[in-house]
Amino acid sequence: MTAYIISGAAALIIAFVIVTYNSLIRLRNKVKEAFATMDVYLKKRFDLIPNLVSTVKGYTKHEAETLEKVIQARNSGLHSSNSEKIEDEKAISGAIKSIFALAENYPELKASENFQNLQNQLETVEVDIANSRKYYNAVVKQYNDKCQMFPSNLIALIFHFKEENMYSVDDASERNNVKVEF
């Protein structure tokens, strides 16, 4: 009789470990998928930048420094780790803002159909990026909760599941309201 109780308890513990391990794997894969989705939109924006820069160059030949910063930010976005990609993405966002600020000084540029088309495409991509960031953070939260909460944290510790970083805004100025004029 005691052997049955011990066998039953062992079976329950093994079942718990298997179910918890599989749920951690599922969540970790969702984190990877969420980051990959965000990465697709970042790549789409990344590919729009040369067109934007070449359009702006035609109107602002003497603003080379601003354009060089944008190109430099774009070219630095070739890192492989998620945290490096997030940092590069922040630099690219700032560079794009500087192009649009530069465009404010050139009414003929703002009126250009090509520039307006690129600006509209970037706005659409930015919305997609924002939505994918929200999804990524939601999935990371679920995964991190599972890694931190008892008793699943014991399984996470045993099998070396590490917490993931959420996408966050580090620059306080990015939290301020932005005035957009067209």
Side-chain angles (χ1 to χ4, degrees), residues 7-136:
S7 298
L12 284 175
I13 291 172
I14 290 170
F16 169 76
V17 169
I18 291 170
V19 168
T20 303
Y21 179 82
N22 287 341
S23 67
L24 284 164
I25 292 288
R26 187 178 308 106
L27 284 171
R28 184 172 61 190
N29 288 339
K30 281 179 80 172
V31 167
K32 289 177 184 177
E33 180 263 339
F35 189 87
T37 300
M38 184 170 54
D39 208 25
V40 166
Y41 292 120
L42 295 173
K43 171 83 170 95
K44 190 173 179 181
R45 180 177 67 178
F46 187 82
D47 292 341
L48 283 171
I49 292 172
N51 296 330
L52 184 64
V53 169
S54 65
T55 300
V56 172
K57 268 186 184 177
Y59 289 90
T60 62
K61 292 183 182 1
H62 61 282
E63 300 280 3
E65 183 181 326
T66 301
L67 297 177
E68 283 299 317
K69 287 180 183 175
V70 173
I71 293 167
Q72 200 173 35
R74 180 190 181 269
N75 291 340
S76 73
L78 303 173
H79 292 100
S80 58
S81 79
N82 290 0
S83 59
E84 288 174 328
K85 285 181 181 181
I86 288 172
E87 289 305 313
D88 291 339
E89 188 275 330
K90 290 175 185 177
I92 291 170
S93 291
I96 290 172
K97 287 177 189 174
S98 67
I99 281 190
F100 289 134
L102 180 67
E104 291 296 318
N105 298 327
Y106 297 90
E108 63 277 4
L109 173 60
K110 284 176 47 177
S112 162
E113 187 175 323
N114 194 19
F115 182 77
Q116 288 179 348
N117 182 29
L118 288 168
Q119 193 171 24
N120 289 338
Q121 288 180 43
L122 274 171
E123 287 174 9
T124 301
V125 169
E126 290 298 327
V127 168
D128 292 338
I129 290 170
N131 288 333
S132 65
R133 284 178 189 152
K134 285 189 257 182
Y135 175 69
Y136 172 77

